Amino acid sequence: MNEMEENYGLERVELLKRELRYTGSVLHVYQDTVLVKGHEAKWDFIHHMGAAAVVPVLEDGRIVMVRQYRHALGRFTLEIPAGKLDFEGESMQDCAIRELHEESGFVSSEPEYLMTVNTTVAFCDEKIGIYVCRNLKKAEQSLDPDEEINIELWDVEELKKKIFAGEMTDGKTVAAILAYDAKYCR
């Protein structure tokens, strides 16, 4: 039994019923009926197809970041380029290469796997594969009609200061920058 299958002596939760409540362009919202320690409960569950993100590194070591408006937060955020898979079965690596080009206007054919994060484990199955891209070549941004994204170049140390000051809170970006720093900048 591997760590993923181990239950650590805890009782498994049994899914009794799953009802689709809402289908959106990015996610599906369900109400699950589960059995927990002999008690029936209703839990919300959100299915997300998955996404990919990129830490784009220029030759001088600066990171290409994107600043864009995030409606759920009601403000602009500074993030690494990222986006959802376009179809079930699309590889995260292919998605990462596409999103790098679309959002940042850079291309790279050499993504290196960095890590995978689950964004909100309490009620959502979204998984984001994060890659590092070097040997960047400048191209044109290819934004969706509803996207407005500005490109900014940042030093890793400056980004870490923003993280620890609470100014950068996007989970995938925080995890990616700190993992990149630990793996490549030490």
Side-chain angles (χ1 to χ4, degrees):
M1 180 180 287
N2 69 31
E3 186 177 330
M4 296 292 287
E5 297 167 334
E6 184 133 358
N7 65 6
Y8 302 100
L10 300 171
E11 217 175 288
R12 291 190 58 90
V13 173
E14 182 182 350
L15 176 62
L16 301 175
K17 182 168 65 171
R18 173 165 286 164
E19 297 177 82
L20 181 62
R21 297 295 189 180
Y22 171 78
T23 299
S25 61
V26 175
L27 46 86
H28 301 281
V29 179
Y30 297 88
Q31 182 175 65
D32 287 352
T33 304
V34 296
L35 192 60
V36 183
K37 297 189 317 187
H39 299 280
E40 197 171 288
K42 301 284 186 190
W43 288 356
D44 294 331
F45 168 66
I46 298 174
H47 170 66
H48 187 286
M49 196 178 337
V54 179
V55 179
V57 184
L58 296 172
E59 283 186 29
D60 65 7
R62 290 181 298 165
I63 307 296
V64 178
M65 301 290 289
V66 296
R67 188 173 300 275
Q68 60 186 319
Y69 183 78
R70 292 301 194 181
H71 180 68
L73 300 179
R75 63 181 171 87
F76 285 86
T77 62
L78 185 63
E79 305 173 35
I80 57 175
K84 69 178 185 66
L85 301 178
D86 274 353
F87 55 89
E88 205 70 53
E90 179 182 21
S91 82
M92 288 187 175
Q93 184 173 332
D94 289 346
C95 179
I97 292 169
R98 182 187 70 249
E99 290 297 330
L100 171 67
H101 177 226
E102 288 178 4
E103 291 194 354
S104 75
F106 283 93
V107 295
S108 174
S109 59
E110 304 172 21
E112 180 183 337
Y113 175 79
L114 179 63
M115 67 191 305
T116 299
V117 296
N118 290 103
T119 57
T120 314
V121 297
F123 57 83
C124 184
D125 67 353
E126 181 183 25
K127 177 170 61 170
I128 301 177
I130 301 174
Y131 297 81
V132 174
C133 284
R134 302 174 192 281
N135 301 317
L136 302 176
K137 295 187 179 18
K138 189 67 178 128
E140 293 291 320
Q141 277 181 310
S142 180
L143 301 176
D144 292 335
D146 62 345
E147 287 182 308
E148 183 178 352
I149 296 176
N150 291 326
I151 305 305
E152 299 180 18
L153 308 179
W154 287 81
D155 178 78
V156 173
E157 290 302 316
E158 294 172 323
L159 291 172
K160 287 178 9 187
K161 286 178 186 172
K162 291 185 85 51
I163 290 168
F164 295 125
E167 297 170 15
M168 186 181 305
T169 60
D170 173 58
K172 73 179 177 307
T173 300
V174 169
I177 296 302
L178 295 178
Y180 173 80
D181 180 58
K183 185 172 183 179
Y184 297 102
C185 300
R186 300 287 163 172

